[in-house]
Amino acid sequence: MRPLSPLGMAALGSGVIAITYGLARFVFGLFLPSMRDELTISATMAGVIGALPFLSFVFAILAAPWVTRRLGVHRTGVAAAGLAGVGLMTIAQAPSSLLLAAGVLLCGISTGLSSPVMAQAVYRVVPPDLRGRVNATINAGTSLGIALAMPAVLLWAEAWRSAYTGFAVLAALAALAAFCYLPRDDRRTSLSRPRLLAAPVSRAQWLGIARLSGLAIGMGCVSAAYWVFAPDAVINAGGLASSQTAWMWLAVGIGGLTGAGAGDLISRFGPAASHAAGLTVMSVSLAILAIDPGSFALALSSAALFGAGYMILTGFYLVRSTQIMTEAPAFAPVLPLLATSVGQVAGSPLAGWLVGAEGHVTTFLLFATLGLAVAGLGSWLLKEKSDSAPASHPFQ
């Protein structure tokens, strides 16, 4: 089959990421109020279930580089989209919170597999000077998936099972596209080189990845409150209708499209300024929602800012990590993205506990303050690193 062009790789990768991240992982909070009502789920239990896709993501992304080397780009990509379909359908049919939890666990596995395999596919088919831009564009596919949730909520505001059935069908189509177009692998290469890293990694590279990962934990914790409880806040604390949260998620998706420029942002302003800008925008979005959760205009503004901040930051971790470990594209984003999920695993139940104890407004203000603290820390850590960044790891 004819090799994918950079544009084709960006389109295919964005579609897969839209399913595995946008629909399988991040729209859960949008349908959470309806799920809580039907399945009688408490706020604390909702926080625990909301942490499960992040938890399974942790284990899946750790295994993803090894799985990609053993199965190859083609089979791993198909598996990632296929597991998303199975998880989404399980959620759609769940008769209890237990099976709901099983479905979100499967969705988290699909998410963990997808980013490393897409990064490896980009390394395979895209010229070096375009890889940063294509990787950032693929990462921004999350926003497309989130935006797709908007018409689903408008059509099935209370019928979340119908919405998830539709998402599962889209996941099946993504798996078919991956099967048809992802590059086929040389079986001998995949099976004869099972090592996690194909090339030695220097101490400076490990230190750079460690800095990114530490900051990503903080960012993940901050973002968890919004992903899981923003719709709950505007409905239960603000009194908005469920259908209005669909417009919020559309705003998150549209705002998140700015994440496609993360690679260019790093190139123009440097890692320290780019990271601080993303976290500041995210913190402002949390604070705006806390000011008046009953204002639809402020909710839309908050959602757009959150989408922009979150996707810039995840794009930042993806692109910057592949800049640091240029010869290990499937492994490079693993630790920063893993760290993001570790933060989300911690942040989701913490937010649930705070919502139950102190309410939505206090919870969102506290998480906004934490975001500004992480932004300040990143300005120091990344500035120190970028001043001495090795010339051998240019922007890709």
Side-chain angles (χ1 to χ4, degrees):
M1 182 177 289
R2 183 178 176 181
L4 280 171
S5 66
L7 179 59
M9 184 64 241
L12 175 60
S14 296
V16 172
I17 294 298
I19 299 297
T20 59
Y21 274 82
L23 297 181
R25 186 177 179 191
F26 287 130
V27 303
F28 176 77
L30 187 61
F31 293 93
L32 180 60
S34 297
M35 293 176 179
R36 286 183 62 187
D37 289 342
E38 182 175 335
L39 300 177
T40 317
I41 301 173
S42 68
T44 301
M45 178 59 69
V48 172
I49 294 176
L52 292 178
F54 305 131
L55 182 62
S56 57
F57 173 90
V58 167
F59 293 101
I61 200 170
L62 282 173
W66 182 85
V67 172
T68 301
R69 293 187 67 81
R70 295 293 296 181
L71 298 183
V73 168
H74 183 263
R75 290 183 287 275
T76 306
V78 173
L83 281 171
V86 174
L88 289 164
M89 186 56 74
T90 301
I91 292 173
Q93 301 298 320
S96 65
S97 58
L98 182 61
L99 277 181
L100 181 70
V104 297
L105 275 171
L106 286 173
C107 287
I109 294 173
S110 76
T111 310
L113 291 177
S114 60
S115 281
V117 72
M118 289 300 116
Q120 184 69 37
V122 168
Y123 183 79
R124 286 272 303 273
V125 305
V126 177
D129 60 326
L130 294 176
R131 286 175 190 158
R133 185 167 295 171
V134 172
N135 271 322
T137 300
I138 290 173
N139 183 70
T142 301
S143 296
L144 296 177
I146 293 168
L148 282 173
M150 182 266 192
V153 171
L154 290 181
L155 288 171
W156 302 297
E158 303 298 330
W160 55 273
R161 295 183 187 277
S162 298
Y164 270 85
T165 299
F167 297 160
V169 172
L170 291 177
L173 293 176
L176 179 61
F179 179 80
C180 292
Y181 296 109
L182 277 180
R184 304 272 174 172
D185 304 279
D186 182 341
R187 181 171 302 216
R188 290 175 302 173
T189 299
S190 297
L191 295 179
S192 64
R193 300 181 68 185
R195 293 177 300 150
L196 187 62
L197 295 172
V201 178
S202 70
R203 182 178 180 276
Q205 289 173 311
W206 281 121
L207 182 59
I209 294 295
R211 290 172 187 268
L212 287 183
S213 301
L215 294 170
I217 290 175
M219 188 281 279
C221 184
V222 173
S223 70
Y226 206 99
W227 284 125
V228 179
F229 288 103
D232 201 51
V234 298
I235 292 173
N236 292 322
L240 297 184
S242 296
S243 60
Q244 289 176 296
T245 63
W247 293 97
M248 281 183 63
W249 247 231
L250 178 63
V252 169
I254 293 173
L257 293 176
T258 59
D264 294 325
L265 193 66
I266 296 171
S267 181
R268 182 174 179 83
F269 298 105
S274 302
H275 186 264
L279 263 166
T280 299
V281 169
M282 181 186 291
S283 296
V284 169
S285 75
L286 287 160
I288 288 176
L289 198 66
I291 291 172
D292 186 2
S295 169
F296 186 46
L298 286 180
L300 290 179
S301 300
S302 167
L305 288 172
F306 178 78
Y310 186 84
M311 293 312 302
I312 286 172
L313 288 165
T314 55
F316 172 87
Y317 297 133
L318 173 64
V319 173
R320 185 59 184 157
S321 65
T322 56
Q323 290 174 352
I324 293 171
M325 290 187 177
T326 55
E327 298 303 315
F331 179 77
V334 166
L335 294 181
L337 294 180
L338 168 65
T340 300
S341 248
V342 169
Q344 289 165 332
V345 167
S348 182
L350 174 61
W353 175 75
L354 282 172
V355 165
E358 303 294 337
H360 291 87
V361 171
T362 299
T363 298
F364 276 67
L365 287 176
L366 288 173
F367 274 75
T369 302
L370 175 61
L372 291 176
V374 178
L377 178 62
S379 296
W380 173 60
L381 289 176
L382 294 174
K383 179 66 175 177
E384 182 182 39
K385 178 59 182 172
S386 62
D387 286 343
S388 58
S392 58
H393 302 119
F395 174 66
Q396 293 292 315

